[in-house]
Amino acid sequence: MTKKDRLIYLPLGGAGEIGMNCYVFGYGPEGAERLIVVDLGVTFPNMDETPGVDLIMPDITWLAENSSRVEAIFITHAHEDHVGALGHLWPRIKAPVYARPFTAAIATLKMEEQGQPLDVIRVVKPRPEVVQAGPFRVQFVPVSHSIPESASLVIDTPAGRIVHSADFKLDGTPVVGEPFDPEEWHRIAKEGKGVKVLTCDSTNVFSPHPGRSEASLAKPLSELIAAQRGMVVATTFASNIARLKTLAEAGRDAGRSICLLGRAMKRMITAAVETGILTDFPPIIQPEEAVDVPRQSLMLIVTGSQGERRAASAQLARGKYLGLEMKEGDTFLFSSKTIPGNERDVIRVMNAYSEMGVDVIDDRGGLYHVSGHANRPDLEAVHELLRPKILLPMHGEHRHLREHCQIGLAKGISAELAVNGTMVDLTGDEPDVVEYVEAGRTYLDGSVLIGAMDGVVRDRIRMALNGHVLVTVILDEDDQPLGEAWVETMGLAERARSGAPVAEAVERELNEFLDSAGDRVLKDDDKVEEAIRKIVRQVAVEEIGKKPEVTVVTSRLVAE
Ligand SMILES: [Zn+2]
C-alpha cells in the first residue's frame, strides 16, 4: 500500500536557542518526503562551555543521511546565524542554494572560503518570482531587519501555504533596503486558501512595546556626534549597512572625515555596493590618510561591537592600531546591543577606554540603537495579518518559543513548541509531533568538524579545570622498573603549601609503589596505569588540593 503524502517541519537549529538556524520542510510519502532546507547558520563558542572551539553549527546527520531527498537550500539573509555554516555543511547536502543578490554575495564568500563550488548559488528576485523545488513553490518576500535584503519565504505545498518569517521587524523606514509592506502580507494571507502555517521569529517576544524604526536614530546620533570635541569612534554590527550609513552621515554632517576599520565591515560594504543596495554612502578615507586628520574632524566606524578580541574596537582599546590611537577627550559609541554572553568582553573594552580618559557611550536604553526583530505587539500584528491556522515559533530560546506559543493559543491559533529535532506533521488542521530526530551541535575545532558529544571538548575542559600530569615509567624484560618514574605537571601549582615541589612528592610515592608492586601488577599495563593514576591523584589532592588528569606512558624493553 502506498503511504499517504504528508507535510513535515523539522528544526535542526535555532529552535531552543538564538543562533545556528536550520529548518527543514518536507512533503511526500512518509519517510520519503522531498525536502527543502531553510538557512545553515552558526553560533559562537564561549570559554565556559566550548573553550578553544572556533564555530558551532547544527548537527545535520539526519539531513546528510537523506541528502538525496533535498531539493534546495534557501538562505533568508546574510547574518552569520543563517549563512555562516553554508561552506562547512554544503558538501554533506549538495543541493542548489537560493538567495537574494546581497545574501548570495555573502553566501558565495562562505562557499569560497571552504573551497566549495560557487555555481550552485542561484540569485532569486522577490515575489512574484517562484523557485520550484520538487513539490515546493518558494517565493522570497522582502522584510525589514538589521541587514539588507532579509526575506520571509512563502512556501506553497500541495498541503497548503507556509509562511516562514525569517528574521524581521515591522519597519516602514529602514534607511537601506525595503520597508515592511503590510499590503503585500495582506495579499499573501488572502491568496488561495490563505496561510496554513506560520513559522515565526520569537527573539523579541518579551519586548512589550512596538519596535522603533531605524530612521528614528538619525537625529539623536547626529546630535550626539555634533556635540563631541575629540575624535569619535563608533561601532555596530558590520552587517548593519543601514546603521553604518546613518552613522557615517551623522559624522559627515558634523564635518568629520569617515574612516572604516575592520575586515568584516569592508567586506559588507563592498558586497552592498557591488549588489547595488548601497548607492550613496558618504565618502570614506583610508587609515593612512586618517592619521593626518585633526581629531575633531575625524570619525572612525569600527568592528567589534561585542568586544571581540581581534576586532578593531579591542585593538584600539589596547593602544595604537594602524597608526590611530584613542586619547583623553575622545568618544567611543556602542551603537549596538550586547548579545547575552558577551557582556564581559564588552565591559573589558569599555574599561580599557575608560582608563584612557575616553568617554564611552552605550546605546542608552535604545536612544542609539534599535533592534532588528519584531517585538511582541509586532508579532501579534503579523498573526492578525496572516491569520495562520498553525503557529510554530522559532528563532528563540525555549522560554521565547513557549511565550510565543501562548500568544498564539490565546488567539485560538494552534501553536506547537517544537524544539530542535522535533518532527511535526502539518498535514491536518492540528500540528502533530511524529518523531524525534537526533539534533545536537557540530563544532569546528581548528580545521576539523567534530560532534559536541565526541568528548574532545569535555576532555579539554577537564584538563583546563584540573590540570594535567604526565608520568613515564620504563619496565625491563623481566617486568621490573628500570630507573625511576618521571613526572611532569602542566597547569598545576609547582609547589605545595609546605613549599615542597609537587612533582618530586609524586615521584617519591610512585617509586615506592614500583619497588613494592608484585609481578602480577607489573606485567599488566592496565593495572600499572590504573595504580599510578590513583597514586598521582591521591598525592595531588594531599599536596595541592587538586585532582588532575593523568596520562601514564609505560614503556617496556623487549628481549631480543
Ligand atoms: Zn538576522
Side-chain angles (χ1 to χ4, degrees):
M1 197 184 88
T2 49
K3 287 185 172 164
K4 270 203 326 206
D5 288 340
R6 65 175 187 175
L7 174 65
I8 54 166
Y9 164 73
L10 171 65
L12 291 175
E17 75 231 304
I18 292 179
M20 61 172 218
N21 292 281
C22 178
Y23 308 93
V24 180
F25 295 93
Y27 184 82
E30 184 183 329
E33 298 89 355
R34 301 305 295 173
L35 308 170
I36 57 170
V37 180
V38 178
D39 292 335
L40 278 171
V42 296
T43 193
F44 294 97
N46 61 61
M47 272 306 282
D48 290 340
E49 292 159 309
T50 45
V53 170
D54 294 279
L55 271 182
I56 302 173
M57 47 197 99
D59 178 351
I60 59 152
T61 305
W62 184 88
L63 208 49
E65 283 167 359
N66 294 290
S67 63
S68 64
R69 291 160 53 190
V70 179
E71 298 279 355
I73 300 165
F74 295 89
I75 307 292
T76 59
H77 64 289
H79 274 152
E80 287 293 321
D81 59 334
H82 295 259
V83 72
L86 180 66
H88 297 283
L89 299 183
W90 185 85
R92 300 178 62 196
I93 308 173
K94 290 200 169 75
V97 179
Y98 295 90
R100 301 182 63 204
F102 175 76
T103 310
I106 302 299
T108 301
L109 292 173
K110 297 287 169 197
M111 292 288 274
E112 211 167 19
E113 277 170 3
Q114 300 306 318
Q116 302 304 332
L118 308 182
D119 57 356
V120 298
I121 296 179
R122 319 268 161 85
V123 176
V124 184
K125 287 197 197 70
R127 217 168 102 93
E129 184 167 315
V130 175
V131 178
Q132 184 84 46
F136 299 96
R137 290 167 53 81
V138 182
Q139 298 175 305
F140 285 68
V141 185
V143 283
S144 42
H145 183 37
S146 47
I147 190 169
E149 286 191 354
S150 193
S152 296
L153 300 178
V154 171
I155 305 167
D156 285 314
T157 78
R161 171 167 279 191
I162 300 164
V163 174
H164 181 86
S165 79
D167 295 8
F168 76 102
K169 66 183 287 191
L170 308 188
D171 194 336
T173 48
V175 180
V176 172
E178 301 95 337
F180 182 83
D181 180 357
E183 278 169 31
E184 174 76 333
W185 282 57
H186 193 67
R187 280 192 291 275
I188 290 165
K190 287 282 165 261
E191 287 167 2
K193 290 184 185 163
V195 177
K196 181 182 179 77
V197 179
L198 170 64
T199 45
C200 194
D201 183 357
S202 308
T203 314
N204 282 359
V205 70
F206 290 112
S207 301
H209 305 296
R212 289 179 305 122
S213 170
E214 183 68 30
S216 70
L217 298 178
K219 191 164 175 279
L221 283 173
S222 289
E223 287 172 0
L224 174 74
I225 292 164
Q228 303 310 313
R229 292 288 151 259
M231 180 163 76
V232 173
V233 183
T235 186
T236 189
F237 280 106
S239 57
N240 195 335
I241 303 289
R243 188 69 48 79
L244 298 181
K245 186 163 182 251
T246 306
L247 286 166
E249 284 174 350
R252 178 199 60 197
D253 295 348
R256 292 172 183 267
S257 300
I258 309 298
C259 176
L260 304 181
L261 296 185
R263 202 171 72 100
M265 202 160 276
K266 284 176 205 153
R267 264 165 68 136
M268 282 293 168
I269 292 278
T270 305
V273 170
E274 280 174 1
T275 51
I277 52 177
L278 187 60
T279 46
D280 47 355
F281 200 81
I284 49 176
I285 60 169
Q286 296 307 310
E288 306 87 80
E289 306 166 71
V291 177
D292 299 322
V293 176
R295 321 186 68 71
Q296 70 274 16
S297 306
L298 183 60
M299 174 166 168
L300 311 179
I301 305 178
V302 306
T303 52
S305 67
Q306 302 304 307
E308 302 95 319
R309 288 190 62 77
R310 280 173 295 190
S313 71
Q315 304 266 20
L316 281 169
R318 287 195 283 271
K320 231 181 198 155
Y321 179 57
L322 300 174
L324 296 158
E325 199 173 5
M326 298 287 284
K327 288 203 175 121
E328 180 153 9
D330 291 343
T331 302
F332 192 97
L333 167 68
F334 284 87
S335 181
S336 55
K337 174 191 144 195
T338 303
I339 294 173
N342 296 339
E343 293 89 349
R344 272 187 301 188
D345 294 335
V346 171
I347 287 169
R348 190 179 301 126
V349 170
M350 285 179 166
N351 278 321
Y353 283 131
S354 178
E355 284 173 28
M356 293 174 177
V358 170
D359 293 325
V360 178
I361 299 173
D362 65 13
D363 76 331
R364 293 280 150 88
L367 186 57
Y368 304 127
H369 174 69
V370 294
S371 170
H373 295 273
N375 292 351
R376 185 185 176 117
D378 311 322
L379 293 172
E380 296 195 71
V382 166
H383 299 166
E384 290 296 326
L385 260 173
L386 293 180
R387 296 194 162 278
K389 292 193 177 65
I390 297 172
L391 171 68
L392 299 168
M394 51 141 192
H395 205 286
E397 297 167 6
H398 196 280
R399 62 196 178 102
H400 299 110
L401 306 185
R402 188 155 188 265
E403 180 75 8
H404 200 169
C405 272
Q406 279 160 1
I407 294 174
L409 290 169
K411 285 208 203 108
I413 304 170
S414 295
E416 184 71 43
L417 201 170
V419 294
N420 296 340
T422 311
M423 188 188 286
V424 187
D425 185 336
L426 301 169
T427 321
D429 289 338
E430 299 283 331
D432 184 17
V433 173
V434 286
E435 197 182 330
Y436 290 98
V437 165
E438 193 67 44
R441 297 176 153 211
T442 301
Y443 297 154
L444 176 68
D445 194 48
S447 55
V448 181
L449 293 179
I450 57 172
M453 306 308 275
D454 289 358
V456 175
V457 174
R458 192 184 56 220
D459 283 355
R460 186 175 299 158
I461 292 172
R462 284 215 310 241
M463 281 190 277
L465 294 176
N466 306 328
H468 184 248
V469 173
L470 175 72
V471 179
T472 309
V473 291
I474 304 173
L475 300 168
D476 68 13
E477 297 93 326
D478 303 320
D479 302 320
Q480 292 307 305
L482 191 70
E484 302 194 319
W486 179 72
V487 169
E488 192 172 340
T489 65
M490 275 165 271
L492 290 167
E494 283 182 15
R495 287 173 184 278
R497 276 186 307 257
S498 64
V502 176
E504 283 175 25
V506 175
E507 281 170 350
R508 223 171 15 249
E509 289 294 322
L510 289 179
N511 289 330
E512 228 166 79
F513 155 72
L514 289 170
D515 287 343
S516 60
D519 285 351
R520 202 175 53 82
V521 173
L522 291 176
K523 264 205 300 235
D524 185 334
D525 280 3
D526 289 345
K527 287 205 171 83
V528 170
E529 286 169 20
E530 198 194 312
I532 287 177
R533 196 168 288 127
K534 213 170 140 194
I535 293 166
V536 171
R537 290 208 170 140
Q538 252 165 23
V539 177
V541 167
E542 280 162 25
E543 297 288 328
I544 54 174
K546 298 285 289 185
K547 214 178 221 178
E549 301 304 303
V550 182
T551 304
V552 183
V553 180
T554 317
S555 304
R556 289 182 184 274
L557 300 183
V558 183
E560 288 294 319

